[in-house]
Amino acid sequence: MPKDTSIKSVLIIGSGPIVIGQACEFDYAGSQSARSIREEGIEVILINSNPATIMTDPTMADHVYLKPLTTKSIIEILKEHPQIDAVLPTMGGQTALNLCLEAEEKGIWEDFNVKLIGVDINAINITEDREQFKQLLERIDIPAAPAKTATSFLKGKEIAQEFGFPLVIRPSFTLGGTGAAFVHRKEDFDELLTRGLEASPIHEVLIDKALLGWKEYELELLRDKNDNVVIICSIENMDPMGIHTGDSITVAPAMTLSDATFQKMRDMAIKMMRSIGNFAGGCNVQFAVSPDEKEDIVAIEINPRVSRSSALASKATGYPIAKIASKLALGYNLDELQNQITKSTSALFEPTLDYVIVKIPRWNFDKFEGADRTLGLQMKSVGEVMGIGRSFQEALHKATQSLEIKRNGLGADGKGYKNYEQIIDKLTHASWDRVFVIYDAIAMGIPLSRIHEITKIDMWFLKQYEELYALEKEISNFRIESLPKELLLEAKQKGFADRQIAHMIGCLESQVYNLREQMNVKRVYKLVDTCAAEFKAKTPYYYSTFEAEIQKADGTRYVDNESVVSDKKKVVVLGSGPNRIGQGIEFDYSCVHGVLAAKECGYETIMINCNPETVSTDFDTADKLYFEPVFWEHIYDIIRHENPVGVIVQLGGQTALKLAEKLDRYGIKILGTSFDALDLAEDRGRFSELLESLHIPFPKFGVAESAEEASKLADVLDFPLLVRPSYVLGGQGMKIVINKQELEEHVIDLLKSIPGNKLLLDNYLDGAIEAEADAICDGEDVYIIGIMEHIEPCGIHSGDSNATLPPFNLGEFVMQQIKDHTKKIALALKTVGLINIQFAIKDDTVYIIEANPRASRTVPFIAKAYGEPYVNYATKVMLGEKKVKDFTFNPQLKGFAIKQPVFSFSKFHGVNKALGPEMKSTGESILFIDDLKDDQFYELYSRRKMYLSK
């Protein structure tokens, strides 16, 4: 059945601000969906309140509405656009589904004659309502864990009495496992049951027998109106049942499943998908499998929408699930659509993987003082990375190298745990770093059987770890001069970094690199082609690996490299790696716009990134995508292979910026602001000397490298003091201290976690107003794109402050100082590209807090508020293609735009919610108001001092 010709205009609902459990995978899905629908000549109208996304870019849809995700906003849009025929709610996570349901209950879709596509209401209700889902599984004869539904506290107590412990409590209609919990002991049940009932919007929980130690799997499916179903990807959780899939290490394709059980699971998934109503699109099904010979299968849940896993499955296979799902929602069948990778075969096929992918989540527990750091049914991670390799071991190593947590991979870096009790404790209570602890346990000699008994992780995975450790031990017997080529090649094929090999044999990383060059043990690049090279792929999407040399008949030896280098002028854009607090989706927005701007200037664009959730790692964003860790060794090899004109580091947050020094040292051209200027702004001491020479005021300060130096400085500077380390993002480690004891404790603590760092002690300007400016500079002219005033007082991190654009009560005298200081600093730093400067205003004097010559968190917000493509302009300046005076700036904003931070404290019970200089928000939304009399502004302003913590 071809597409439904009655559909001329579609409303897509986005997922709103980023919270734990719902991150930028929905920006990726929404962006892909909008493009897919517009390709069909259909008008797209978008609603989403998140300004940091590509999805809300004016180019993405015919009309973009940055409005709160409420039925009030939906009604406003439907009145404005009576031509809307259909609504697609499956691209915006749980937020979009819940909003769609609410609009259905209120009769809004019916009133405006809008039909639902991509899913039907019954499918949402059956899959989200735990009781209905249980009944469905019984009807279609699919096994499920023994479970009962409770809608009251009393009923919950009765069920617990019947089942006995351990139990699982799962609230209906929630995302990211909100409110879900394991109950091991009777004493904890009352509190956890209450929490679950409160978390569910319909006050309902499912209580089931805990399947502790069972293995967990997910299948990602697509279905069309003709009931064709394809399974895009099988995903195995390395962690057993009991840890939320968003917090689990996952592997694709499934590794330890027998073929007979896999076929049974496929049949069950297809049966489930066909039984939940008449809908076409993507679907995610989760199963538990008993860890014995019987391999009993139990269905856990089904999500009739694109999910976090579908972003992962898309990147793992190269099959663009959201894009195809959107076409299916319009009425197409799978056999009528083209495979986007080969461009010559149909979309009615199941991808074949000739590689392995490993996803590892990234957590930010240090931002949540007092948080329970053990992992469970409630998701706690804020981002994730994906590694692609020819083996599980290689992919696992690449994923650990992508995390940016100061580890070089598993073990072999001197940072492992050595204490037996600590290792056993971390294995017993699933910890965020358990992926490393397993290696430490093997290194300590703890038997695999014991590790398996504690963790219930399948023996196959543990044996893979054991092999890695055995190889490390073998290599450690050699020195650099005597290391055989076979061993070096094996270590590289198993994913060990040069740094780790250097650690094993006691030499420098560069010596290992040189030895590899000498022995011709070089990285080769392979295509992610969805069909294991059965058909020719047209999309340049690569990962690296190592291969033994092949000898031809004439005796010549070579390794097979599938990445062919063109003779075009090229530019590399370094991505921002995994999401974390302080570095989120806004840097992905900047990277994507950087790539598009470089394309417009005629460059071949090369993207390097390892975050599976983002638009920057979509197979058709850049001309070439290297899905690789943003880790020196990988980047250097790609640069040597591609030989670009230069590298853009300004757009990928602190991740890309940290690599600037190495690029500079190796003579690789940094496009835009030079490394020396980037370093000058980061080095608090040098920067303050620059400000002094420019006669620009800044708070009195001193630099300390030990607790003793800090104590002496405190005698000269007055308390309260703001203590902050250099080279960090999101205010990491910043704190306001009010006496010597607090100062000493914090400095010792900081130097333990960031050894050798220079700490800056500032005189904290109590009660000051904070403001910030973003600007574009070409070395000669400066254009300020926006000045924002924070509603909260100075001392709360800018990422956690409500900020208004333009400022609401800074006088002309103060505004002039901000403009003058911004221009002077941008020129003095020889900025080429973007710069962000933060100010504190006290007694009508404007002091400088810091300057960052790179894209900042606020650039996408300002671009959306004013409707101007500032990153595009800045990239053209960095490339030297344009000067500031070449652009005609025409910002459009009626009234004010307010950037509102959004927090995920609900995931961490008992956490200190007070705000301070260290950033804690996970996302943001944008609010437009006509004037300062608006009630919402009044409420924000009246609460501004509530959170300030010293």
Side-chain angles (χ1 to χ4, degrees), residues 613-637:
E613 305 175 288
T614 57
V615 180
S616 68
T617 53
D618 206 352
F619 66 85
D620 58 358
T621 295
D623 293 314
K624 264 182 154 176
L625 165 67
Y626 285 94
F627 205 108
E628 290 284 281
V630 190
F631 183 82
W632 172 249
E633 180 185 322
H634 294 269
I635 286 161
Y636 187 50
D637 277 347

Side-chain angles (χ1 to χ4, degrees), residues 95-220:
T95 303
L97 275 191
N98 286 356
L99 180 58
C100 176
L101 276 179
E102 192 189 329
E104 172 74 14
E105 279 162 19
K106 292 179 176 173
I108 296 169
W109 305 130
E110 203 180 327
D111 292 349
F112 288 90
N113 198 20
V114 172
K115 64 178 172 185
L116 243 76
I117 56 170
V119 69
D120 66 9
I121 290 289
N122 289 343
I124 302 175
N125 281 326
I126 287 171
T127 54
E128 293 287 342
D129 185 318
R130 303 282 179 186
E131 181 59 29
Q132 283 196 46
F133 179 59
K134 197 165 76 62
Q135 288 168 1
L136 169 79
L137 292 180
E138 277 167 24
R139 266 201 316 279
I140 61 173
D141 204 24
I142 300 263
K148 288 197 170 172
T149 310
T151 48
S152 72
F153 186 75
L154 204 61
K155 182 76 179 135
K157 296 278 279 188
E158 281 172 25
I159 298 167
Q161 202 171 319
E162 181 190 333
F163 281 174
F165 296 93
L167 289 173
V168 180
I169 296 173
R170 301 175 198 274
S172 296
F173 290 93
T174 61
L175 184 100
T178 301
F182 263 114
V183 193
H184 295 279
R185 304 174 323 144
K186 193 177 168 185
E187 300 81 69
D188 304 331
F189 183 71
D190 291 10
E191 187 199 333
L192 295 169
L193 174 62
T194 309
R195 201 183 284 172
L197 287 166
E198 282 171 1
S200 167
I202 61 167
H203 211 63
E204 173 190 279
V205 297
L206 185 77
I207 298 175
D208 57 9
K209 272 301 263 182
L211 299 169
L212 286 175
W214 283 46
K215 289 154 71 167
E216 191 165 5
Y217 295 90
E218 294 179 70
L219 294 182
E220 209 54 54

Side-chain angles (χ1 to χ4, degrees), residues 12-16 22 26 46-48 55 69 91-93 95-96 99:
I12 297 179
I13 306 176
S15 60
Q22 191 166 276
F26 296 108
L46 262 178
I47 175 171
N48 197 1
M55 180 185 182
L69 290 163
M91 300 294 157
T95 303
L99 180 58

Side-chain angles (χ1 to χ4, degrees), residues 631-767:
F631 183 82
W632 172 249
E633 180 185 322
H634 294 269
I635 286 161
Y636 187 50
D637 277 347
I638 294 167
I639 289 169
R640 288 194 63 185
H641 178 61
E642 289 286 355
N643 194 21
V645 173
V647 179
I648 293 178
V649 297
Q650 271 186 44
L651 303 175
Q654 206 68 23
T655 298
L657 221 54
K658 276 182 188 155
L659 291 157
E661 183 188 3
K662 272 226 149 136
L663 291 168
D664 187 63
R665 203 177 339 136
Y666 279 77
I668 297 159
K669 187 174 169 53
I670 293 169
L671 295 167
T673 309
S674 70
F675 165 69
D676 186 57
L678 298 172
D679 188 56
L680 172 58
E682 284 286 350
D683 185 325
R684 310 288 186 187
R686 282 178 73 198
F687 180 58
S688 302
E689 284 162 19
L690 175 78
L691 293 178
E692 248 165 23
S693 69
L694 295 171
H695 307 295
I696 293 176
F698 53 91
K700 281 191 299 177
F701 84 101
V703 179
E705 293 185 41
S706 68
E708 196 173 327
E709 284 178 26
S711 182
K712 281 181 188 157
L713 266 176
D715 295 334
V716 184
L717 303 168
D718 297 330
F719 285 104
L721 287 174
L722 177 62
V723 182
R724 46 191 181 152
S726 299
Y727 285 99
V728 295
L729 191 87
Q732 185 197 329
M734 278 196 199
K735 196 168 187 180
I736 298 166
V737 294
I738 54 169
N739 58 39
K740 280 208 167 180
Q741 188 192 340
E742 274 191 12
L743 174 67
E744 189 178 304
E745 280 171 13
H746 188 56
V747 169
I748 289 169
D749 209 28
L750 268 180
L751 292 173
K752 203 162 62 189
S753 63
I754 320 175
N757 201 295
K758 283 185 181 170
L759 305 177
L760 189 77
L761 274 62
D762 273 2
N763 182 228
Y764 168 62
L765 298 168
D766 207 0

Side-chain angles (χ1 to χ4, degrees), residues 427-537:
L427 292 177
T428 310
H429 305 105
S431 58
W432 66 272
D433 54 357
R434 187 158 78 166
V435 62
F436 298 99
V437 178
I438 295 167
Y439 194 91
D440 301 338
I442 291 169
M444 183 170 270
I446 298 171
L448 292 197
S449 54
R450 175 88 172 108
I451 300 172
H452 171 69
E453 182 194 322
I454 298 172
T455 62
K456 300 289 186 284
I457 291 172
D458 192 281
M459 211 58 174
W460 184 86
F461 292 116
L462 299 180
K463 287 199 167 116
Q464 298 284 311
Y465 267 90
E466 190 179 48
E467 276 180 26
L468 288 173
Y469 180 64
L471 182 61
E472 180 190 336
K473 266 184 27 193
E474 193 179 347
I475 290 174
S476 301
N477 296 325
F478 293 89
R479 299 259 76 62
I480 184 84
E481 304 76 32
S482 59
L483 184 66
K485 181 176 176 177
E486 308 74 71
L487 268 187
L488 179 61
L489 177 62
E490 188 185 348
K492 295 309 290 179
Q493 286 181 322
K494 290 188 169 174
F496 279 111
D498 290 352
R499 279 177 208 174
Q500 289 174 292
I501 298 167
H503 181 85
M504 295 173 205
I505 57 178
C507 68
L508 298 171
E509 178 185 3
S510 54
Q511 288 176 276
V512 177
Y513 190 88
N514 295 338
L515 181 68
R516 284 206 290 115
E517 287 285 296
Q518 228 174 295
M519 291 180 166
N520 203 24
V521 176
K522 292 182 184 172
R523 252 184 191 84
V524 289
Y525 297 97
K526 300 289 175 188
L527 268 170
V528 171
D529 61 7
T530 81
C531 51
E534 208 175 317
F535 301 95
K536 199 168 165 47

